[in-house]
Amino acid sequence: MRAKRTPGRFNWMEVGYWCAYGAFTTFAIAYVMEKGAAAETMGFMAAAFTLGAFLGQFVWGTLSDRLRTCKTLFLIGCALVMAANVLFFLHPLGAVGIALYALIGFIQMPVGSMLDTWVLRAYPEETFRFGRARACSTFAYAILMPVQGNLIRRFGYGMMPLVSAIFLAIAFGTALFTSDAQWRDASQKAEKKINRFSYIARLGGFLAILFGMGLANAPQIQLTALLVAGVGGNVVHQSYVMFANSIAMSPVLLFSRQIGKIPAWTRLTMASAAFVATLAGILSARSPYVLIACYLLNGLGSALYLPAMRQIMLENAPEEMQSTAQGLGDAVYSSMAGMVSSAASGMIIGAWGVHRMVAICLGLQTACALILAARMIRRRKC
């Protein structure tokens, strides 16, 4: 059967890949907590995951740009994630568990970024299709979270690798029959080569803001299990927290064509403001149900952030570095910032508790929001 490139196929790939992430990686910290890991250990595991993701963004992104393929590497990535999930499930603790969790991060997050690049390359003049594809995945993720939480409660954590494997198979099978991303020919590539080393300098301020936002936002995503436990919740409450986060993202991403008319930097400012409101709510939360409401705001912020970041990177990166550029944005926001934040958060929680950690994140995110707001006001005056 001849490979095709249609929006529906990308929707299925996004759904399969990110639901696999939801079924396994989202509950990984809760799994090691069930196994008796200390808060500091969980913090370092999260840091190892983000370190792996940080390094992987450059490895996978560079391979994609140099080999001029997204499809082949995506297929390899799906198979490797499945294998790494099984190994981590069998050996979740100690140095082996930390190393395996880092390996999952090294593969899973960069390959997800590469999938996003694949969608953007398939429809360079219709970038709203990326938002719609991610809307499908976040909606499916939202539905999956409470289902998976209850499956784990009823049948045990063995549901993690099983359900994840099913969704990875969906992503893999769909990718087999989808056309690869398109690259310009060598002559067009050579014309734009001068931009290869200059675009990072042009985006220095943008990357600094991404780092600050990621530093403040990482704990509420990677250490959700600890936050839920801190207000008396359990793995089922955690699943509803993630449901709220994802269900709030879906309508924003679904209408990305209309929302995309708002300038990308303005959407980034709105995202940071939503994250500030989220952290303020988490700081005052005393029950898992208040936490669930807070994550509705976090989902709104994430849905505004992701397409805005993708658009800014797409517009500023040279043609021959599109995969690397998208990976760089994710590496700075999710990986590099997440690695520092998660390790520090685990130690802060162990020494002073969850509330002190959230208060520090709130202060940092507020600073980022004020910087972005000042930039937006200054540009409007000009």
Side-chain angles (χ1 to χ4, degrees):
M1 181 177 179
R2 188 172 63 88
K4 296 181 179 180
R5 184 176 68 247
T6 66
R9 292 177 186 271
F10 287 116
N11 294 350
W12 278 109
M13 281 190 282
E14 292 276 4
V15 167
Y17 193 79
W18 291 113
C19 281
Y21 170 89
F24 192 94
T25 312
T26 299
F27 293 96
I29 295 295
Y31 176 54
V32 297
M33 186 165 62
E34 177 74 12
K35 292 289 185 179
E40 292 87 347
T41 301
M42 288 183 277
F44 282 115
M45 289 190 73
F49 180 89
T50 50
L51 174 61
F54 174 73
L55 297 174
Q57 293 288 4
F58 296 102
V59 173
W60 289 88
T62 301
L63 282 173
S64 177
D65 286 325
R66 291 190 175 182
L67 299 177
R68 299 166 69 84
T69 179
C70 288
K71 177 176 178 175
T72 301
L73 293 176
F74 180 76
L75 292 171
I76 293 171
C78 285
L80 291 177
V81 168
M82 189 179 300
N85 283 352
V86 173
L87 289 173
F88 175 80
F89 182 78
L90 296 175
H91 306 283
L93 300 177
V96 174
I98 292 174
L100 288 170
Y101 201 45
L103 178 62
I104 293 173
F106 180 83
I107 305 166
Q108 193 165 50
M109 304 312 292
V111 172
S113 298
M114 191 166 56
L115 174 57
D116 290 347
T117 304
W118 191 355
V119 180
L120 290 167
R121 279 190 173 277
Y123 302 100
E125 304 301 324
E126 299 177 302
T127 55
F128 67 89
R129 293 194 183 278
F130 163 73
R132 290 182 178 177
R134 289 304 295 262
C136 292
S137 67
T138 53
F139 182 76
Y141 182 99
I143 299 301
L144 174 67
M145 287 300 94
V147 173
Q148 180 73 343
N150 281 284
L151 286 173
I152 290 172
R153 183 181 63 174
R154 183 172 180 181
F155 301 108
Y157 281 92
M159 298 306 297
M160 287 169 54
L162 176 61
V163 177
S164 178
I166 292 171
F167 281 109
L168 281 171
I170 292 172
F172 186 95
T174 307
L176 279 175
F177 301 103
T178 304
S179 298
D180 204 347
Q182 301 297 312
W183 269 257
R184 295 181 183 179
D185 60 37
S187 60
Q188 290 176 306
K189 179 180 174 182
E191 290 174 3
K192 300 193 74 176
K193 196 169 184 178
I194 188 172
N195 294 324
R196 186 175 181 86
F197 302 104
S198 63
Y199 87 102
I200 294 179
R202 289 202 311 269
L203 292 176
F206 173 62
L207 294 174
I209 288 293
L210 289 191
F211 180 76
M213 291 175 65
L215 205 62
N217 206 39
Q220 69 201 58
I221 299 300
Q222 296 185 348
L223 300 178
T224 306
L226 285 176
L227 294 174
V228 172
V231 292
N234 55 35
V235 67
V236 176
H237 292 115
Q238 180 189 346
S239 68
Y240 284 114
V241 163
M242 300 315 296
F243 168 83
N245 185 80
S246 298
I247 204 69
M249 291 179 67
S250 297
V252 179
L253 290 171
L254 185 63
F255 291 99
S256 57
R257 185 174 193 172
Q258 291 77 15
I259 296 173
K261 295 176 182 178
I262 303 172
W265 281 95
T266 302
R267 282 179 278 147
L268 200 67
T269 306
M270 295 165 62
S272 187
F275 293 148
V276 168
T278 300
L279 288 163
I282 292 174
L283 190 61
S284 62
R286 295 295 181 271
S287 80
Y289 300 103
V290 175
L291 208 61
I292 290 169
C294 292
Y295 273 76
L296 288 169
L297 285 171
N298 190 72
L300 173 63
S302 297
L304 289 168
Y305 163 81
L306 185 61
M309 185 275 285
R310 292 277 186 254
Q311 181 179 336
I312 292 170
M313 298 304 289
L314 184 70
E315 291 173 351
N316 288 275
E319 166 67 21
E320 66 268 27
M321 290 189 70
Q322 285 294 326
S323 295
T324 304
Q326 297 298 341
L328 176 63
D330 289 332
V332 170
Y333 177 81
S334 300
S335 304
M336 186 165 67
M339 177 179 59
V340 176
S341 184
S342 297
S345 295
M347 292 185 287
I348 292 170
I349 292 171
W352 296 297
V354 174
H355 279 74
R356 180 70 62 88
M357 182 271 295
V358 175
I360 293 171
C361 291
L362 175 59
L364 181 57
Q365 190 67 252
T366 300
C368 292
L370 290 173
I371 292 170
L372 285 167
R375 182 191 183 282
M376 183 176 66
I377 293 170
R378 186 168 62 251
R379 287 179 65 87
R380 285 184 176 178
K381 287 182 178 180
C382 294

